[in-house]
Structure formats: structure tokens, C-alpha cells
Amino acid sequence: MVKSELMKYSCPLGKAMSALGSKWKPIIVLVIKDRKLRFGELAVRINVISRKVLTDQLREMQTDGLIIREEFKELPPRVEYSLTEKGLALLPILYQLEEWETKYHVYDPQKEKDCKMIMEEKKIKKTVV
Amino acid sequence: MVKSELMKYSCPLGKAMSALGSKWKPIIVLVIKDRKLRFGELAVRINVISRKVLTDQLREMQTDGLIIREEFKELPPRVEYSLTEKGLALLPILYQLEEWETKYHVYDPQKEKDCKMIMEEKKIKKTVV
DNA sequence: CTGTATCCCCGTAGATACTG
DNA sequence: CAGTATCTACGGGGATACAG
């Protein structure tokens, strides 16, 4: 363990952010919500994420106790993800973050334009959350 | 703009996390709180962060409208940082994150030991938050 | 005192092809 | 369907020295 990792263990917020602070985890929590979702459904709903990264993130979240992974030994295989109690407890906080962002949002027409452009270019029909 | 940045503009939570999702920003918000703090005070309170990175983060947070930077043209120079309304609105959410972490925290004695060890090794007396 | 200027490491995440 | 396996790129973050 090096100095740079110290924060992860030295304060509650540091620990919280290390479980939640990655690029995709909050999104994943919000997308799963109170349902069970299969891997493929997750991949479709968050279609700007690659399957490898999605897998990685799900594994870490499982380790951190945020989600439950149920594997059904069928053919074709089926895996369902759902939130643990800990993960569910995160939902209201994430909603508040959304509200916060919406309330203080500064509208940037250029960014919106860029966003539209790239979505067409990449043939992305529907985006996250 | 590339696909990977799409999330930043495609949903509120994405935008929120891009303003807040870095390693140090939530900590900085929590440390400034309702006071005005000088650069040096911040550096002492978050003493596991390098001055360069602290500067970088503060600049970005200023751009995102989270903090106010007041520069006094004195000798020696003095700079004071405080939260904007937007930054202040973040505080209750961060407190809830702390509570969340505290509630669902899994105690890991090994990590705690590692943490103590490195703090002595690096002569860190007091840590963040 | 409050930063810059460099230089560098390492981890996250992306693309693509392949597998049980 | 639900992943792995590789390889690669980028940039956040860190150490250290220097500057106004």
C-alpha cells in the first residue's frame, strides 16, 4: 500500500468514493434500480460502455457489496444482476445528485450539439439513464 | 469530442459525476465547508495531496462553479477559497454519502493496520476529513 | 505564501477478436 | 448469451525542483 491509496481508508467519504467514484458505477446503480437485469440488458441500456469494462465494473461492485450476481446454469447462459441493500440505499443519494445537477446546470449549446453529432456518427439510438 | 466523453453530457448524473467524480473534489468541498480557507490551510488539512494536484483540482472546481477563488495582491500573497451556492448545496449530499459508508462499512483490520503503518512511515500526523 | 514546470508512472477504459 | 483475452492509449495523479 502506498501513500496515494491512503485516502481510501482514512475517511468515510474516501471509502465511499472508492466504491462509487469510478466512471460508470453510479450509472450502473441507477440503471439496475429495483429490478433484476441481465447482462445484455445492462449493455443495451448503457450502450456507450464496452462489454469488458461493464464486466470489470460489475465484478468490483460485487466485491464492494453493491450488487448481487445470479448465474443460471442454462443454455444459453443467463446472468441477472440486482442491487443489495447497500446498493439500494445509494439510490436516494444518486437522485439527489441528479437534482443538484439539474438545478445548477449551465446550458452549453455547443456541447449539446457535439453530443448529438457523435451520437449520430456512432449510431447510438438511446443513451444512458 | 469522442464517444468516451459522451456520458458527460448525456445525462444529469453523468454531468454531476464529471464535476465531482475525481479523486479529491468531494474531499475538498467537505474540507472548505462554510468557511474561507487559504491555500496553505487546505494543503495542511488534506496533507496526502500534492500541491500541484490541489491547484489543478481547485482550478477545475472554479471552472465548474463549485468554489470561489479570491486573490489578495499582498506580500506575501494570500488566496482564499470558499464554496459557491452550488458547492454548498453539495454538502448535505456528501454528508449522506458519509453516513451511507459508515452504516455499511465492512471493517478490515488488515487495511487499518496498513494505513497506520504508512502514516507513520510518511510522518503524516493528521489526515483528511 | 502560492503556486508552476517537468517528468513519469500506473490504472482505467477502449477496441477487437475469440470462447464455452 | 455472457463473457475472456490481448493489446493499446490516454490522462489523472504524484515527486521534486523552481519561481514571483
Side-chain angles (χ1 to χ4, degrees):
Chain A
M1 183 159 132
V2 291
K3 182 180 170 186
S4 61
E5 293 177 17
L6 188 56
M7 187 200 65
K8 288 189 191 168
Y9 313 107
S10 58
C11 63
L13 189 57
K15 280 182 262 190
M17 290 308 289
S18 83
L20 178 68
S22 92
K23 189 171 176 182
W24 298 109
K25 286 172 189 173
I27 306 276
I28 294 174
V29 170
L30 220 55
V31 166
I32 298 185
K33 233 175 359 189
D34 51 358
R35 293 164 296 186
K36 286 188 180 188
L37 282 186
R38 303 182 57 168
F39 183 83
E41 295 175 307
L42 276 170
V44 170
R45 284 180 166 74
I46 318 176
N47 54 16
V48 286
I49 192 175
S50 73
R51 293 173 102 71
K52 171 188 166 295
V53 175
L54 181 54
T55 306
D56 293 346
Q57 300 290 306
L58 288 170
R59 289 277 183 281
E60 289 179 23
M61 293 169 73
Q62 195 184 354
T63 306
D64 289 337
L66 293 180
I67 60 172
I68 296 163
R69 179 179 186 275
E70 291 175 280
E71 188 173 355
F72 300 85
K73 297 290 187 185
E74 308 171 350
L75 270 180
R78 179 161 61 104
V79 179
E80 290 185 349
Y81 294 92
S82 54
L83 295 180
T84 61
E85 192 195 340
K86 182 175 180 179
L88 279 169
L90 213 45
L91 274 178
I93 302 180
L94 294 180
Y95 287 134
Q96 286 179 56
L97 262 182
E98 283 195 318
E99 280 175 37
W100 172 79
E101 165 58 36
T102 306
K103 179 169 179 188
Y104 294 99
H105 173 239
V106 263
Y107 179 65
D108 186 336
Q110 185 55 45
K111 296 289 181 186
E112 305 286 339
K113 225 181 78 188
D114 290 349
C115 185
K116 258 188 191 160
M117 221 179 62
I118 190 137
M119 282 174 64
E120 283 160 17
E121 184 185 320
K122 303 267 177 185
K123 296 177 185 54
I124 297 173
K125 313 249 191 276
K126 198 178 128 188
T127 40
V128 293
V129 184
Chain B
M1 183 155 132
V2 290
K3 184 181 170 187
S4 62
E5 293 176 19
L6 187 57
M7 188 201 66
K8 288 189 191 167
Y9 313 107
S10 59
C11 64
L13 189 57
K15 281 182 258 190
M17 291 308 289
S18 85
L20 179 67
S22 90
K23 188 170 176 180
W24 298 110
K25 285 172 189 172
I27 305 277
I28 293 174
V29 170
L30 220 55
V31 166
I32 297 185
K33 234 175 359 189
D34 52 358
R35 293 164 296 187
K36 286 189 180 188
L37 282 187
R38 302 182 57 168
F39 183 83
E41 294 175 306
L42 276 171
V44 170
R45 283 181 165 76
I46 318 174
N47 54 15
V48 284
I49 192 177
S50 73
R51 295 174 101 74
K52 169 188 168 296
V53 176
L54 181 54
T55 306
D56 294 345
Q57 300 290 307
L58 288 170
R59 288 278 183 282
E60 289 179 23
M61 293 169 73
Q62 194 186 356
T63 306
D64 289 336
L66 293 179
I67 60 172
I68 296 163
R69 179 179 186 276
E70 292 175 282
E71 188 172 355
F72 299 86
K73 298 291 187 184
E74 308 170 352
L75 270 180
R78 178 161 61 104
V79 179
E80 290 186 348
Y81 294 92
S82 54
L83 295 181
T84 61
E85 193 195 340
K86 182 175 181 180
L88 279 168
L90 214 45
L91 274 178
I93 302 180
L94 294 181
Y95 287 135
Q96 285 179 58
L97 262 182
E98 282 196 319
E99 279 175 38
W100 172 80
E101 165 57 36
T102 305
K103 180 171 179 186
Y104 293 100
H105 174 239
V106 263
Y107 180 65
D108 186 338
Q110 185 56 43
K111 296 289 182 188
E112 305 287 338
K113 227 181 76 188
D114 290 349
C115 184
K116 256 187 191 161
M117 220 180 61
I118 189 137
M119 282 173 65
E120 284 160 16
E121 185 186 319
K122 302 268 178 182
K123 297 179 184 53
I124 298 173
K125 314 249 192 274
K126 197 178 131 189
T127 38
V128 294
V129 186

